[in-house]
Amino acid sequence: MTDPEAVPFDRLCEPYLHRWGPYRLTRDPISATAIRRFCEVAEDGNPVYWDEAYARTTRFGRLIAPPQSLFAMTFGAWWTPDHVRERLEADTAALNEDGGDGGQAAIFALCDRFGFVVNTVAGQEAEYLAPFGPGDGRLKMRSMVTAVTGEKQVRVGTGVFVTSVTEYRTEASDVPVGRSTLVLLRYRPREGAE
Amino acid sequence: MITRFVTRRWDDVREGDSIGSITFPVTLRTLMVDVAGTRDLYPIHHDRDFAKASGARDIFVNTMFYEALFGRLATDWAGPEAFLRRLRFTMKSPNCPGDTITSRGHVLRTYEAGGQRLVDLEIHLDNQLGADATIANLTLELPG
Protein backbone atom coordinates (compact mmCIF):
# COMPACT_ATOMS: atom_id res chain seq x y z
CA MET A 1 0.00 0.00 0.00
CA THR A 2 1.47 3.34 -1.08
CA ASP A 3 1.56 6.20 1.39
CA PRO A 4 -0.80 8.73 -0.23
CA GLU A 5 1.36 11.60 1.06
CA ALA A 6 4.26 10.31 -1.05
CA VAL A 7 2.38 10.60 -4.38
CA PRO A 8 2.64 14.11 -5.89
CA PHE A 9 -0.65 15.98 -5.63
CA ASP A 10 -0.97 16.57 -9.38
CA ARG A 11 -0.57 12.83 -10.04
CA LEU A 12 -3.37 12.03 -7.57
CA CYS A 13 -5.69 14.40 -9.44
CA GLU A 14 -4.94 13.11 -12.94
CA PRO A 15 -7.82 10.59 -13.17
CA TYR A 16 -10.33 13.36 -12.42
CA LEU A 17 -9.25 15.85 -15.10
CA HIS A 18 -11.24 16.70 -18.29
CA ARG A 19 -14.51 15.19 -17.06
CA TRP A 20 -17.61 17.39 -17.40
CA GLY A 21 -19.56 17.55 -14.19
CA PRO A 22 -23.36 17.56 -14.07
CA TYR A 23 -25.37 20.60 -15.15
CA ARG A 24 -26.40 22.92 -12.37
CA LEU A 25 -29.40 25.17 -12.76
CA THR A 26 -29.93 28.58 -11.19
CA ARG A 27 -32.96 28.80 -8.91
CA ASP A 28 -34.36 31.98 -10.45
CA PRO A 29 -34.77 33.26 -14.00
CA ILE A 30 -32.56 36.23 -14.96
CA SER A 31 -34.37 39.31 -13.69
CA ALA A 32 -34.01 43.06 -14.08
CA THR A 33 -33.69 43.29 -10.28
CA ALA A 34 -30.71 40.94 -10.14
CA ILE A 35 -29.14 42.89 -13.02
CA ARG A 36 -29.49 46.22 -11.21
CA ARG A 37 -28.09 44.81 -7.95
CA PHE A 38 -25.04 43.66 -9.88
CA CYS A 39 -24.74 47.09 -11.53
CA GLU A 40 -24.74 48.75 -8.08
CA VAL A 41 -21.50 46.93 -7.17
CA ALA A 42 -19.26 49.01 -9.45
CA GLU A 43 -21.84 51.75 -10.14
CA ASP A 44 -22.45 50.79 -13.78
CA GLY A 45 -25.05 53.06 -15.40
CA ASN A 46 -25.02 51.53 -18.92
CA PRO A 47 -28.63 52.13 -20.15
CA VAL A 48 -28.90 48.69 -21.81
CA TYR A 49 -28.98 47.31 -18.26
CA TRP A 50 -31.39 49.91 -16.85
CA ASP A 51 -33.68 51.42 -19.48
CA GLU A 52 -35.95 48.96 -21.28
CA ALA A 53 -37.26 51.49 -23.81
CA TYR A 54 -33.77 52.68 -24.68
CA ALA A 55 -32.39 49.13 -24.81
CA ARG A 56 -35.02 48.25 -27.46
CA THR A 57 -33.47 50.87 -29.77
CA THR A 58 -29.97 49.33 -29.54
CA ARG A 59 -28.42 46.40 -31.40
CA PHE A 60 -29.52 44.17 -28.51
CA GLY A 61 -33.19 44.99 -29.03
CA ARG A 62 -33.99 44.39 -25.36
CA LEU A 63 -32.76 44.85 -21.81
CA ILE A 64 -29.67 42.70 -21.26
CA ALA A 65 -27.54 41.64 -18.31
CA PRO A 66 -23.93 42.81 -18.16
CA PRO A 67 -22.09 39.90 -19.79
CA GLN A 68 -19.55 40.15 -16.97
CA SER A 69 -22.34 39.34 -14.46
CA LEU A 70 -22.52 35.74 -15.68
CA PHE A 71 -20.49 34.38 -12.76
CA ALA A 72 -22.52 36.37 -10.19
CA MET A 73 -25.84 35.38 -11.80
CA THR A 74 -25.01 31.70 -11.34
CA PHE A 75 -23.85 31.90 -7.71
CA GLY A 76 -25.76 29.64 -5.33
CA ALA A 77 -28.87 31.01 -3.62
CA TRP A 78 -28.59 31.90 0.08
CA TRP A 79 -31.70 30.12 1.30
CA THR A 80 -34.33 28.05 -0.46
CA PRO A 81 -37.45 26.44 1.08
CA ASP A 82 -37.70 22.66 0.79
CA HIS A 83 -40.61 22.64 -1.65
CA VAL A 84 -38.73 24.90 -4.09
CA ARG A 85 -35.49 22.99 -3.64
CA GLU A 86 -37.21 19.67 -4.40
CA ARG A 87 -38.58 21.06 -7.67
CA LEU A 88 -35.17 22.49 -8.59
CA GLU A 89 -33.51 19.14 -7.85
CA ALA A 90 -36.02 17.36 -10.07
CA ASP A 91 -35.43 19.85 -12.91
CA THR A 92 -31.67 19.43 -12.50
CA ALA A 93 -31.89 15.63 -12.44
CA ALA A 94 -33.85 15.74 -15.72
CA LEU A 95 -30.94 17.66 -17.31
CA ASN A 96 -28.41 15.08 -16.14
CA GLU A 97 -30.08 11.81 -17.08
CA ASP A 98 -27.13 10.70 -19.21
CA GLY A 99 -24.27 12.51 -17.43
CA GLY A 100 -21.57 11.33 -15.05
CA ASP A 101 -20.52 13.12 -11.88
CA GLY A 102 -17.34 14.67 -13.35
CA GLY A 103 -14.10 15.06 -11.44
CA GLN A 104 -14.27 18.41 -9.67
CA ALA A 105 -15.79 17.13 -6.41
CA ALA A 106 -13.11 14.43 -6.12
CA ILE A 107 -10.33 16.99 -6.65
CA PHE A 108 -11.72 19.37 -4.03
CA ALA A 109 -12.06 16.43 -1.62
CA LEU A 110 -8.36 15.66 -2.20
CA CYS A 111 -7.55 19.33 -1.49
CA ASP A 112 -9.43 19.09 1.81
CA ARG A 113 -7.61 15.87 2.72
CA PHE A 114 -4.26 17.62 2.24
CA GLY A 115 -5.42 20.60 4.36
CA PHE A 116 -5.76 22.98 1.37
CA VAL A 117 -9.02 24.26 2.80
CA VAL A 118 -8.81 28.01 2.15
CA ASN A 119 -9.47 29.12 -1.39
CA THR A 120 -8.76 32.28 -3.29
CA VAL A 121 -9.11 33.13 -6.98
CA ALA A 122 -5.69 33.47 -8.62
CA GLY A 123 -6.82 34.10 -12.19
CA GLN A 124 -9.95 34.33 -14.25
CA GLU A 125 -10.74 34.51 -17.95
CA ALA A 126 -14.20 34.70 -19.48
CA GLU A 127 -15.51 34.63 -23.01
CA TYR A 128 -19.00 36.02 -23.67
CA LEU A 129 -20.62 34.29 -26.62
CA ALA A 130 -24.08 35.90 -26.78
CA PRO A 131 -26.12 38.52 -24.90
CA PHE A 132 -28.56 37.21 -22.30
CA GLY A 133 -31.23 38.87 -20.20
CA PRO A 134 -34.74 38.75 -18.77
CA GLY A 135 -36.84 36.34 -20.87
CA ASP A 136 -34.06 33.78 -21.25
CA GLY A 137 -35.21 31.86 -18.17
CA ARG A 138 -32.73 30.28 -15.84
CA LEU A 139 -29.07 29.63 -16.60
CA LYS A 140 -27.49 26.21 -16.58
CA MET A 141 -23.81 25.52 -16.28
CA ARG A 142 -21.36 22.67 -16.03
CA SER A 143 -17.66 22.55 -15.19
CA MET A 144 -14.60 20.42 -15.50
CA VAL A 145 -11.12 20.64 -14.02
CA THR A 146 -8.48 20.90 -16.74
CA ALA A 147 -5.28 21.22 -14.70
CA VAL A 148 -3.92 20.88 -11.14
CA THR A 149 -0.39 21.83 -10.11
CA GLY A 150 1.87 20.11 -7.59
CA GLU A 151 2.26 21.58 -4.10
CA LYS A 152 3.73 25.12 -4.12
CA GLN A 153 4.94 27.57 -1.48
CA VAL A 154 2.93 30.80 -1.77
CA ARG A 155 2.93 34.02 0.26
CA VAL A 156 0.00 32.92 2.45
CA GLY A 157 1.04 29.27 2.94
CA THR A 158 1.34 26.04 0.98
CA GLY A 159 -1.10 25.18 -1.77
CA VAL A 160 -2.05 24.04 -5.24
CA PHE A 161 -3.55 25.82 -8.26
CA VAL A 162 -6.69 24.23 -9.70
CA THR A 163 -7.86 25.31 -13.19
CA SER A 164 -11.53 24.75 -14.13
CA VAL A 165 -13.57 25.54 -17.25
CA THR A 166 -17.27 26.34 -16.93
CA GLU A 167 -19.78 26.54 -19.77
CA TYR A 168 -23.00 28.56 -19.42
CA ARG A 169 -26.24 28.16 -21.40
CA THR A 170 -29.69 29.71 -21.20
CA GLU A 171 -32.50 27.39 -20.22
CA ALA A 172 -34.91 28.83 -22.82
CA SER A 173 -32.83 28.32 -25.97
CA ASP A 174 -29.94 26.09 -24.82
CA VAL A 175 -27.62 28.64 -26.45
CA PRO A 176 -24.10 28.89 -25.00
CA VAL A 177 -23.75 32.42 -23.63
CA GLY A 178 -20.34 32.14 -22.02
CA ARG A 179 -17.33 30.10 -21.10
CA SER A 180 -15.00 30.84 -18.20
CA THR A 181 -11.68 29.58 -16.97
CA LEU A 182 -10.96 29.95 -13.27
CA VAL A 183 -7.63 29.37 -11.54
CA LEU A 184 -8.21 28.74 -7.87
CA LEU A 185 -5.48 28.68 -5.24
CA ARG A 186 -6.41 26.15 -2.56
CA TYR A 187 -4.05 26.49 0.39
CA ARG A 188 -3.11 25.62 3.95
CA PRO A 189 -2.44 28.93 5.76
CA ARG A 190 1.05 29.45 7.13
CA GLU A 191 1.29 28.99 10.95
CA GLY A 192 0.59 32.28 12.75
CA ALA A 193 -0.40 33.97 9.50
CA GLU A 194 -1.58 37.52 10.08
CA MET B 1 -33.91 66.70 -20.64
CA ILE B 2 -33.06 63.13 -21.54
CA THR B 3 -29.45 62.08 -21.08
CA ARG B 4 -27.87 61.13 -24.41
CA PHE B 5 -25.66 58.12 -24.67
CA VAL B 6 -22.71 58.33 -27.01
CA THR B 7 -21.51 55.20 -28.78
CA ARG B 8 -17.93 55.01 -29.91
CA ARG B 9 -17.52 53.61 -33.39
CA TRP B 10 -14.79 51.13 -34.29
CA ASP B 11 -13.64 53.35 -37.19
CA ASP B 12 -12.91 56.18 -34.74
CA VAL B 13 -10.72 54.17 -32.34
CA ARG B 14 -6.93 54.19 -32.62
CA GLU B 15 -4.30 52.05 -30.95
CA GLY B 16 -2.89 53.85 -27.92
CA ASP B 17 -6.08 55.83 -27.26
CA SER B 18 -6.63 56.40 -23.53
CA ILE B 19 -9.95 55.23 -22.06
CA GLY B 20 -9.65 57.76 -19.23
CA SER B 21 -9.32 57.27 -15.51
CA ILE B 22 -11.57 57.02 -12.48
CA THR B 23 -11.06 56.87 -8.71
CA PHE B 24 -13.09 54.35 -6.70
CA PRO B 25 -12.81 54.51 -2.89
CA VAL B 26 -13.29 51.10 -1.23
CA THR B 27 -15.23 51.28 2.05
CA LEU B 28 -16.94 48.75 4.28
CA ARG B 29 -20.13 49.72 2.40
CA THR B 30 -18.45 48.81 -0.92
CA LEU B 31 -17.86 45.33 0.49
CA MET B 32 -21.51 45.04 1.63
CA VAL B 33 -22.87 46.15 -1.77
CA ASP B 34 -20.41 43.72 -3.38
CA VAL B 35 -21.76 40.77 -1.35
CA ALA B 36 -25.39 41.78 -1.98
CA GLY B 37 -24.93 42.32 -5.72
CA THR B 38 -22.74 39.32 -6.52
CA ARG B 39 -24.24 36.85 -4.00
CA ASP B 40 -20.77 35.83 -2.78
CA LEU B 41 -21.03 34.87 0.90
CA TYR B 42 -17.50 33.46 1.17
CA PRO B 43 -16.40 34.85 4.58
CA ILE B 44 -13.06 36.21 3.33
CA HIS B 45 -15.11 39.09 1.82
CA HIS B 46 -17.17 39.99 4.92
CA ASP B 47 -15.61 38.42 8.05
CA ARG B 48 -12.52 40.33 9.18
CA ASP B 49 -11.40 37.64 11.68
CA PHE B 50 -11.68 34.95 9.00
CA ALA B 51 -9.80 37.09 6.46
CA LYS B 52 -6.92 37.79 8.87
CA ALA B 53 -6.72 34.17 10.00
CA SER B 54 -6.47 33.25 6.29
CA GLY B 55 -3.39 35.45 5.92
CA ALA B 56 -5.10 38.46 4.32
CA ARG B 57 -4.57 42.09 5.38
CA ASP B 58 -8.35 42.54 5.83
CA ILE B 59 -11.57 41.60 4.02
CA PHE B 60 -11.20 42.44 0.33
CA VAL B 61 -13.40 42.96 -2.74
CA ASN B 62 -14.11 39.73 -4.61
CA THR B 63 -13.40 38.61 -8.17
CA MET B 64 -16.88 39.62 -9.33
CA PHE B 65 -16.28 43.18 -8.13
CA TYR B 66 -13.43 43.39 -10.65
CA GLU B 67 -15.61 41.86 -13.36
CA ALA B 68 -18.23 44.53 -12.60
CA LEU B 69 -15.68 47.36 -12.54
CA PHE B 70 -13.76 46.34 -15.68
CA GLY B 71 -17.01 45.87 -17.62
CA ARG B 72 -18.21 49.26 -16.46
CA LEU B 73 -14.96 51.01 -17.39
CA ALA B 74 -15.10 49.44 -20.86
CA THR B 75 -18.69 50.43 -21.67
CA ASP B 76 -18.41 53.85 -19.96
CA TRP B 77 -15.76 54.51 -22.61
CA ALA B 78 -17.29 52.62 -25.55
CA GLY B 79 -20.99 53.35 -25.02
CA PRO B 80 -24.14 51.21 -24.86
CA GLU B 81 -23.76 49.56 -28.31
CA ALA B 82 -20.51 47.85 -27.28
CA PHE B 83 -20.52 44.20 -26.23
CA LEU B 84 -17.83 42.70 -24.02
CA ARG B 85 -16.47 39.58 -25.70
CA ARG B 86 -13.57 38.58 -23.47
CA LEU B 87 -12.25 39.50 -20.02
CA ARG B 88 -9.11 38.21 -18.34
CA PHE B 89 -7.35 39.65 -15.31
CA THR B 90 -4.76 38.97 -12.65
CA MET B 91 -5.22 40.07 -9.06
CA LYS B 92 -1.83 40.81 -7.57
CA SER B 93 -2.76 42.60 -4.39
CA PRO B 94 -6.16 42.91 -2.70
CA ASN B 95 -8.28 46.03 -2.22
CA CYS B 96 -9.58 46.37 1.35
CA PRO B 97 -11.77 48.94 3.15
CA GLY B 98 -9.84 52.22 3.31
CA ASP B 99 -8.04 51.62 0.00
CA THR B 100 -8.57 53.84 -3.02
CA ILE B 101 -8.56 52.29 -6.49
CA THR B 102 -7.42 54.39 -9.45
CA SER B 103 -7.92 53.08 -12.98
CA ARG B 104 -6.03 53.75 -16.19
CA GLY B 105 -6.40 52.05 -19.52
CA HIS B 106 -5.68 52.24 -23.21
CA VAL B 107 -6.41 50.59 -26.54
CA LEU B 108 -3.93 47.81 -27.32
CA ARG B 109 -5.14 47.07 -30.84
CA THR B 110 -8.09 47.24 -33.22
CA TYR B 111 -8.84 44.38 -35.60
CA GLU B 112 -11.57 42.38 -37.31
CA ALA B 113 -12.18 38.69 -36.68
CA GLY B 114 -15.11 36.40 -37.42
CA GLY B 115 -17.10 39.29 -38.88
CA GLN B 116 -16.74 41.28 -35.65
CA ARG B 117 -15.06 44.68 -35.25
CA LEU B 118 -12.96 44.30 -32.14
CA VAL B 119 -10.88 46.42 -29.80
CA ASP B 120 -8.48 45.05 -27.20
CA LEU B 121 -8.08 47.14 -24.06
CA GLU B 122 -5.62 46.92 -21.21
CA ILE B 123 -6.80 48.35 -17.90
CA HIS B 124 -4.70 48.72 -14.75
CA LEU B 125 -6.05 49.27 -11.27
CA ASP B 126 -3.61 50.88 -8.86
CA ASN B 127 -4.20 51.63 -5.20
CA GLN B 128 -2.51 53.92 -2.68
CA LEU B 129 -0.09 51.11 -1.78
CA GLY B 130 1.26 50.64 -5.29
CA ALA B 131 0.71 50.31 -9.00
CA ASP B 132 -0.82 47.35 -10.86
CA ALA B 133 -2.82 45.78 -8.01
CA THR B 134 -5.00 44.25 -10.76
CA ILE B 135 -4.38 44.19 -14.51
CA ALA B 136 -7.02 43.26 -17.09
CA ASN B 137 -7.18 42.52 -20.80
CA LEU B 138 -10.56 42.98 -22.46
CA THR B 139 -11.95 42.50 -25.94
CA LEU B 140 -14.91 44.66 -26.95
CA GLU B 141 -17.05 44.37 -30.04
CA LEU B 142 -17.97 47.80 -31.40
CA PRO B 143 -20.35 48.94 -34.14
CA GLY B 144 -18.56 50.10 -37.31
Side-chain angles (χ1 to χ4, degrees), chain B residues 82-99:
Chain B
F83 186 69
L84 181 64
R85 283 287 172 193
R86 195 181 284 269
L87 172 61
R88 169 167 55 91
F89 54 93
T90 323
M91 297 173 285
K92 297 186 168 180
S93 97
N95 284 293
C96 304
D99 293 349

Side-chain angles (χ1 to χ4, degrees), chain B residues 1-5:
Chain B
M1 187 59 207
I2 292 169
T3 310
R4 291 182 192 286
F5 305 106

Side-chain angles (χ1 to χ4, degrees), chain A residues 36-114:
Chain A
R36 275 96 191 234
R37 286 188 182 151
F38 180 85
C39 290
E40 287 177 342
V41 172
E43 301 173 4
D44 191 336
N46 189 337
V48 298
Y49 313 143
W50 291 90
D51 184 337
E52 187 129 27
Y54 178 84
R56 274 200 293 273
T57 70
T58 66
R59 59 186 287 209
F60 305 111
R62 60 171 176 150
L63 197 77
I64 63 165
Q68 67 273 12
S69 72
L70 197 51
F71 198 48
M73 293 295 168
T74 54
F75 235 67
W78 288 352
W79 180 81
T80 301
D82 289 344
H83 59 98
V84 174
R85 187 174 44 75
E86 283 159 15
R87 202 174 56 219
L88 183 61
E89 283 170 357
D91 291 350
T92 307
L95 286 177
N96 291 310
E97 273 167 350
D98 323 313
D101 63 350
Q104 197 170 46
I107 286 172
F108 288 142
L110 276 170
C111 287
D112 289 344
R113 205 173 101 203
F114 276 68

Side-chain angles (χ1 to χ4, degrees), chain A residues 2-68:
Chain A
T2 319
D3 172 12
E5 304 292 326
V7 180
F9 193 79
D10 43 342
R11 282 264 308 282
L12 284 175
C13 293
E14 252 173 37
Y16 306 110
L17 298 180
H18 301 288
R19 283 166 47 177
W20 281 119
Y23 278 112
R24 290 169 293 129
L25 195 56
T26 58
R27 186 188 63 193
D28 303 312
I30 301 150
S31 72
T33 304
I35 291 170
R36 275 96 191 234
R37 286 188 182 151
F38 180 85
C39 290
E40 287 177 342
V41 172
E43 301 173 4
D44 191 336
N46 189 337
V48 298
Y49 313 143
W50 291 90
D51 184 337
E52 187 129 27
Y54 178 84
R56 274 200 293 273
T57 70
T58 66
R59 59 186 287 209
F60 305 111
R62 60 171 176 150
L63 197 77
I64 63 165
Q68 67 273 12

